[in-house]
Amino acid sequence: MPADLDLFYSRKDPMDPRLGDLVRRVSRDHEDALKSAQIAILGVPEDRGIAANGGKQGAALGPEAIRRAFYKLTPGFGVNFDGLSMIDLGDIPVGETLEETHKALTESVREISSREVFPLVLGGGHDLTYPGLKGLVQGLDLREGQLGLINLDSHLDVRDMSHGITSGTPFRRALTELPNNALLGRSFVEFGIQEPYNSPHYYQWVRDQGSTVFTLASVGTRPMEYFLEASRIACDDTKAVALSIDIDSVRSQEAPGASASNPRGFKAPELEKVAYLAGRTDRIRYLDLMEMSPPLDEHNRTASLCASTLFWFCKGFRERG
């Protein structure tokens, strides 16, 4: 269904335009809108996967809160949003089961990406990344080893499916279940992982797949330098790269509204700079932003950080050659 019209902020002042003035709100019958769009925003108000993983629910409200903050922002300076065609397709209808929601997200991302439009997905639980990736693989018709993937996160999220779909399973599924074996371990990078919050068993499993793990400790004070290396790895011998951002990768001082916040993590300006670099990277063809939970937020700090992250990604996207 279309995003709530009230979220599209406007000062009704041509001297002070906001993103709510520039992003087009479209209905589910969006075939014509996709013909001219470059980026399509899609919300998924679903957090049952977080509950299934023993986490705190609330991220289902994330897409609305992120939009409310994002559409209040200006188009920026210099090479700004002017000329960037963005549409908001509203939210995926939540199914009676988590699997139904996943299927609907896959179908939507497949349609968006098959038209050479960039899918920008707002969650929701991190389990939603898998159906988003599946839709991307189908939409771009990616074959074996043609997908690269970067997960910006405190957690590895490679739990097995012994307890069904949870927010802890998306990247194991991506490595083992995607169509055409599109993602190989060598093209998967875990970025910002925090050692105290991850099982050594799952760490070893990721390493056994041939994947790269950059821990928060190893990245240290050089996140941009290491992200460029992560991008190089994910882009090497692939046709498309997906970037998934879990907002719990940022320290709780600046992201208290993460579903699983903790005191350590990236600083807000570091995340924004990484998002800008990702936006400028032509090979990156998909972005999702996950696990922002408004009930846990304080003074909308996390929603504002998510909005500024999207801003810098889109600014970088606008600067692509």
Side-chain angles (χ1 to χ4, degrees):
M1 62 186 147
D4 191 335
L5 185 59
D6 290 341
L7 299 175
F8 290 75
Y9 180 81
S10 175
R11 290 184 62 88
K12 297 180 172 53
D13 179 354
M15 296 295 103
D16 191 6
R18 302 302 171 100
L19 296 185
D21 297 311
L22 301 179
V23 178
R24 287 182 294 152
R25 173 181 179 266
V26 300
S27 68
R28 296 292 299 170
D29 183 17
H30 51 253
E31 183 174 347
D32 288 341
L34 283 171
K35 289 179 180 179
S36 59
Q38 294 170 278
I39 294 176
I41 297 171
L42 191 64
V44 197
E46 170 69 86
D47 59 11
R48 282 175 286 185
I50 295 174
N53 201 36
K56 300 175 182 177
Q57 288 185 268
L61 301 174
E64 178 178 318
I66 295 170
R67 283 185 175 106
R68 190 177 299 280
F70 183 61
Y71 291 139
K72 287 183 178 178
L73 301 179
T74 75
F77 310 145
V79 178
N80 58 33
F81 284 59
D82 288 341
L84 180 60
S85 177
M86 297 180 64
I87 60 174
D88 190 320
L89 297 175
D91 289 339
I92 291 290
V94 175
E96 291 187 10
T97 66
L98 185 56
E99 289 80 1
E100 289 178 2
T101 305
H102 278 214
K103 182 179 179 181
L105 177 57
T106 294
E107 291 173 352
S108 290
V109 173
R110 177 190 56 76
E111 180 183 7
I112 293 167
S113 56
S114 69
R115 295 171 180 271
E116 297 296 318
V117 179
F118 188 100
L120 200 164
V121 179
L122 308 178
H126 216 166
D127 54 286
L128 299 167
T129 293
Y130 174 74
L133 295 175
K134 184 177 180 181
L136 183 72
V137 168
Q138 293 175 344
L140 298 181
D141 192 26
L142 298 177
R143 299 296 167 174
E144 182 172 0
Q146 292 183 339
L147 177 67
L149 175 61
I150 303 171
N151 175 38
L152 194 68
D153 201 336
S154 291
H155 306 98
L156 295 164
D157 285 347
V158 291
R159 295 180 181 275
D160 61 38
M161 293 286 287
S162 58
H163 298 288
I165 297 171
T166 76
S167 60
T169 60
F171 301 108
R172 182 181 287 250
R173 298 188 74 194
L175 286 165
T176 60
E177 299 181 28
L178 280 175
N180 307 325
N181 200 23
L183 176 67
L184 300 179
R186 68 182 184 223
S187 302
F188 176 46
V189 183
E190 299 265 28
F191 193 84
I193 302 302
Q194 297 200 35
E195 187 174 346
Y197 306 118
N198 289 275
S199 161
H201 169 80
Y202 294 127
Y203 171 77
Q204 189 59 50
W205 186 88
V206 172
R207 298 288 293 154
D208 288 345
Q209 310 314 302
S211 303
T212 302
V213 179
F214 289 127
T215 65
L216 183 68
S218 66
V219 169
T221 59
R222 298 184 292 169
M224 282 69 76
E225 178 182 332
Y226 276 92
F227 185 77
L228 288 173
E229 176 62 12
S231 296
R232 185 197 64 76
I233 294 168
C235 289
D236 187 28
D237 205 27
T238 60
K239 296 183 80 172
V241 174
L243 172 62
S244 181
I245 299 176
D246 188 323
I247 201 61
D248 75 14
S249 58
V250 179
R251 59 184 183 172
S252 57
Q253 177 182 346
E254 293 162 288
S259 294
S261 65
N262 62 78
R264 300 181 70 247
F266 294 116
K267 298 176 183 178
E270 293 172 339
L271 177 61
E272 292 168 348
K273 290 176 182 177
V274 164
Y276 174 70
L277 290 175
R280 287 179 56 91
T281 304
D282 291 342
R283 195 77 59 85
I284 292 181
R285 302 287 297 276
Y286 169 96
L287 171 68
D288 66 38
L289 183 54
M290 299 298 187
E291 304 226 354
M292 188 266 142
S293 181
L296 302 176
D297 206 1
E298 297 174 1
H299 307 294
N300 296 317
R301 291 208 303 272
T302 316
S304 295
L305 173 59
C306 288
S308 64
T309 300
L310 297 182
F311 172 92
W312 286 106
F313 178 86
C314 292
K315 185 174 176 66
F317 187 94
R318 178 69 177 84
E319 296 175 9
R320 291 186 179 186

